[in-house]
Amino acid sequence: MVKTPGRLQVVATPIGNLADLSARAREALEAADVIAAEDTRHTLVLLKAFGIAKPLISLHGHNEAQRVPQLLARLEAGENVALVSDAGTPLLSDPGFQLVQRAAQAGIPVHTIPGPSAITAALAVAGLPTDRFCFEGFLPARAAERRTALGALAHETRTLVFFEAPHRIVATLTDMATEFGAQRPAVVARELTKIHETIYRGTLQELAARAAADENFQRGEITLVVHGAPDSAAMLDEGELRRTVDILAKELPPGRAAAVAAALTGASRAAAYALVTRGAKTSAETTGVPHGTKTP
């Protein structure tokens, strides 16, 4: 007799307010034979709040590859497994991808129990375009890598959604103002659904200044929503940017000239820097002196 496999249920859990746990999610947790949790201690608090007692197994970024075979074996033996993260919907900047992928490949039923997500919650209250958006998760922690990642997104026209650690929010907003343009509209959603939920609105430059001055801004869970770049037809007059760059490039190093030009015009640092380097290259070709070489 062939055993019928169990099922894997991807269960969304509250991002702050326990009342947001859906009836379906509660039923799925109560019916599970085992719950795969990002942090078993965190999930245990949730289960106790609803009077649910189930075996827990940890599944996080450092052990997922080792845990997947064990969980697949249980699923193939007919057990039901519920997958949860610490908060929100699993797999969205949280572990679980390998388990879901391998279960689907093995023909094991995979079901979703939808619910809370900081991504959609932040978009719902941001007041920025939501018809097209992209989720970028956490940016690199190192400053140089973060600026490179932001530079690559400077011309993305879709609304951008990020997660960020509170101790990096000032640096991130400052880098965004530099790479995206100081006047780009953005929203910082802090502690969504919790008692201290706060929504900050303004330009990237304004938000960076407020974050630096307000200690509460640098606390809790943060979701950052940034307006996309304007379409090419509505972009800043390149002539104005070029004139600004030409003046500054005569007095400042390329990187500094680009940063100041971006701050003055509202253009992205990437666009300003491209004009600086293009102008330097053209000048070198005209004079026959390699770029970066000093004349006697």
Side-chain angles (χ1 to χ4, degrees):
M1 181 176 178
V2 179
K3 285 188 176 181
T4 302
R7 59 181 177 176
L8 173 62
Q9 299 200 90
V10 183
V11 184
T13 55
I15 59 176
N17 192 321
L18 292 181
D20 290 335
L21 186 74
S22 72
R24 281 192 67 208
R26 182 171 179 172
E27 290 172 3
L29 295 174
E30 290 174 335
D33 294 297
V34 63
I35 297 173
E38 182 178 3
D39 185 330
T40 56
R41 297 165 299 180
H42 187 97
T43 299
L44 186 59
V45 173
L46 173 69
L47 297 180
K48 284 184 176 180
F50 289 92
I52 302 171
K54 290 291 175 178
L56 292 167
I57 183 171
S58 65
L59 181 78
H60 49 69
H62 299 293
N63 74 355
E64 186 170 1
Q66 292 73 41
R67 286 283 193 257
V68 166
Q70 177 185 349
L71 289 167
L72 284 177
R74 298 183 73 150
L75 287 162
E76 290 169 346
E79 292 189 18
N80 292 326
V81 176
L83 171 66
V84 300
S85 61
D86 287 350
T89 302
L91 278 73
L92 302 180
S93 270
D94 285 325
F97 169 71
Q98 293 182 53
L99 177 59
V100 170
Q101 183 184 57
R102 292 281 298 281
Q105 291 172 344
I108 295 168
V110 181
H111 301 283
T112 178
I113 311 296
S117 168
I119 301 167
T120 52
L123 283 166
V125 298
L128 296 178
T130 57
D131 52 335
R132 296 175 67 243
F133 68 89
C134 57
F135 174 57
E136 292 294 326
F138 285 93
L139 289 162
R142 293 180 181 275
E145 296 173 4
R146 181 172 59 247
R147 286 193 290 267
T148 298
L150 290 171
L153 293 169
H155 300 295
E156 172 58 65
T157 57
R158 293 173 292 179
T159 296
L160 297 156
V161 184
F162 303 86
F163 289 156
E164 190 50 280
H167 65 278
R168 288 198 298 266
I169 188 61
V170 175
T172 293
L173 286 168
T174 300
D175 287 343
M176 284 183 171
T178 299
E179 300 295 338
F180 291 170
Q183 301 307 307
R184 182 85 70 93
V187 169
V188 174
R190 187 179 73 85
E191 293 288 83
L192 283 167
T193 78
K194 300 177 184 178
I195 190 170
H196 296 297
E197 174 180 297
T198 310
I199 309 298
Y200 302 92
R201 309 173 191 276
T203 65
L204 287 170
Q205 185 177 54
E206 292 168 344
L207 290 170
R210 187 168 183 182
D214 183 354
E215 290 185 359
N216 286 329
F217 203 119
Q218 303 172 48
R219 294 174 178 164
E221 302 288 333
I222 292 174
T223 305
L224 178 56
V225 185
V226 183
H227 198 294
D231 292 331
S232 56
M235 288 182 69
L236 174 81
D237 178 9
E238 187 172 332
E240 178 187 351
L241 177 58
R242 186 184 298 278
R243 288 189 294 273
T244 304
V245 164
D246 287 345
I247 295 170
L248 293 171
K250 295 175 183 177
E251 306 294 334
L252 300 171
R256 182 62 182 157
V260 174
L264 290 173
T265 64
S268 71
R269 183 182 180 280
Y273 190 77
L275 286 176
V276 172
T277 54
R278 190 187 312 163
K281 182 179 179 182
T282 301
S283 177
E285 290 173 349
T286 301
T287 60
V289 178
H291 176 48
T293 301
K294 292 185 178 180
T295 57

